[in-house]
Amino acid sequence: MPPAVARLGASLPLPPDLAMCRRVAERAEALGYESIWIADTGAGPDAFVVAATAALATRRVRIGTAVVPIYTRALPVLAAGAGSCAQLMPGRPFVLGLGVSSETIVDAWGGVPYRRPLTRMRETVAVLRRMLAGERVTVEGKTVRSRGFRLVSPPPAPVPVYVGALMPPMLELAGEIADGVILNFMPVDAVPRMLAHVRAGAARAGRDPATLEVVARFQTVVTDDAPAARDAIRQMMGPYFATSVYNRFIAWCGFPEEARAIDTAWRTKDRARNVAAVTDEMVDRLAIIGSAEHCRARLAGFAAAGVTTPMIQPFLFDEAAIWRTFEALAPAGSA
């Protein structure tokens, strides 16, 4: 049997249904998962509302966002959301995970220009730390500004800020300024290369990279029917990997031909070719599908490569199947 992962997180199911999220949060804590993470898709319940729901349903587990976009909420709104969630969890940390998201969510859906992501992230993290500390903030940056804002009820303890990162520039920025880094959709052999950039950023800032938590989300299905699960995940990956951010990333991770085929098919509005361009090898290397033993071995492999907190995202829409995946992979010794 593969070694147990030291810290295993649970990612609440997508699309998020608040009643289901409450049930999953309660059960994930009972099963021994160390942390609960919430993604912001831009089309479901607000991530901070989901986090508050999970906080009220649990007593011990850590809760964090992984991630909320930095463009689609004003700085005071981000500070208020994170601060409110932290107040609901006295004595345990709430983690604010931030990301630049994609042009689809930010520009097409949100109507916000998707510009200067590195500068925007750097300035956002710096300003939010001051706001969450209760300071009155006036700032005129290159990409953000705020005048005279002060959070009336700041959180009772500092809020750790994590940065979602894929490519070297953002990975290095995370190492430089964040308390942790959040990874997504990478093969295990890319992890050491990604973390080398995190370490490089930390070194430039005179920080110890060992203090940074490395969180990673894994689309996971515990099943005896791997081909069916593979085909379901492929339907999601085709459009997802057509976004410029992820298209560049999967090419960088070792799938340049697939990335070109996915992009070409999407641009020509050929959905069938777009999905077909996601090969079985891609799905098997970027997601975790199979028996519980196989899935545990994959998670252990990512932990050995440097991921300190793997999180399981059940790629399932049937609640009974979601339970099966969470229960099959629950930390050793849990109920």
Side-chain angles (χ1 to χ4, degrees):
M1 179 178 292
V5 176
R7 301 173 78 176
L8 190 60
S11 180
L12 293 188
L14 295 171
D17 169 271
L18 285 175
M20 183 193 294
C21 285
R22 181 182 182 88
R23 293 191 295 271
V24 171
E26 288 176 330
R27 185 62 177 146
E29 182 174 68
L31 287 168
Y33 285 90
E34 183 274 337
S35 49
I36 292 173
W37 302 88
I38 296 100
D40 189 333
T41 64
D46 182 86
F48 291 124
V49 174
V50 178
T53 299
L56 292 171
T58 57
R59 295 186 178 184
R60 300 177 305 278
V61 69
R62 276 194 310 156
I63 296 173
T65 59
V67 294
V68 294
I70 59 174
Y71 289 95
T72 53
R73 293 174 175 87
L75 288 169
V77 177
L78 279 169
S84 298
C85 290
Q87 286 188 46
L88 290 173
M89 302 170 51
R92 52 180 169 145
F94 172 76
V95 177
L96 176 59
L98 302 171
V100 296
S101 192
S102 68
E103 297 96 323
T104 299
I105 291 175
V106 175
D107 197 328
W109 294 359
V112 179
Y114 191 81
R115 296 173 183 162
R116 305 186 71 175
L118 285 170
T119 302
R120 182 67 174 251
M121 181 62 78
R122 181 185 293 277
E123 293 185 341
T124 295
V125 170
V127 174
L128 283 176
R129 282 209 169 106
R130 295 176 59 195
M131 289 179 171
L132 289 166
E135 293 183 29
R136 186 178 297 278
V137 175
T138 294
V139 60
E140 190 77 35
K142 295 177 180 177
T143 63
V144 301
R145 65 183 178 88
S146 183
R147 297 176 185 170
F149 174 79
R150 182 172 66 86
L151 199 60
V152 175
S153 299
V159 173
V161 179
Y162 290 16
V163 168
L166 300 174
M167 298 292 284
M170 192 66 75
L171 290 164
E172 294 185 13
L173 182 63
E176 181 183 346
I177 68 171
D179 299 302
V181 60
I182 300 168
L183 311 179
N184 193 28
F185 276 133
M186 69 288 172
V188 68
D189 54 287
V191 174
R193 187 160 46 122
M194 296 173 77
L195 296 186
H197 288 286
V198 175
R199 289 192 297 272
R204 282 202 303 271
R207 307 176 71 204
D208 179 3
T211 64
L212 275 69
E213 183 177 11
V214 180
V215 182
R217 171 177 280 106
F218 297 102
Q219 304 293 332
T220 307
V221 184
V222 174
T223 180
D224 294 327
D225 190 352
R230 194 179 287 125
D231 287 343
I233 290 179
R234 196 190 327 271
Q235 295 292 325
M236 175 271 291
M237 284 184 171
Y240 205 92
F241 292 158
T243 62
S244 65
V245 172
Y246 272 95
N247 196 263
R248 291 194 302 272
F249 176 62
I250 60 170
W252 184 74
C253 280
F255 301 100
E257 294 180 8
E258 293 89 340
R260 281 192 293 271
I262 289 167
D263 179 64
T264 299
W266 188 257
R267 290 177 183 276
T268 57
K269 304 187 187 309
D270 191 334
R271 175 62 185 270
R273 284 179 55 214
N274 166 261
V275 171
V278 180
T279 64
D280 286 355
E281 181 192 3
M282 284 184 69
V283 177
D284 288 343
R285 290 178 64 195
L286 302 178
I288 297 179
I289 301 169
S291 68
E293 183 177 8
H294 172 77
C295 292
R296 282 194 293 267
R298 291 288 315 282
L299 290 165
F302 278 98
V307 174
T308 53
T309 307
M311 66 166 118
I312 295 168
Q313 170 78 63
F315 190 81
L316 305 157
F317 305 106
D318 171 69
E319 189 166 351
I322 290 171
W323 295 131
R324 284 198 298 273
T325 289
F326 276 135
E327 290 167 1
L329 301 178
S334 60

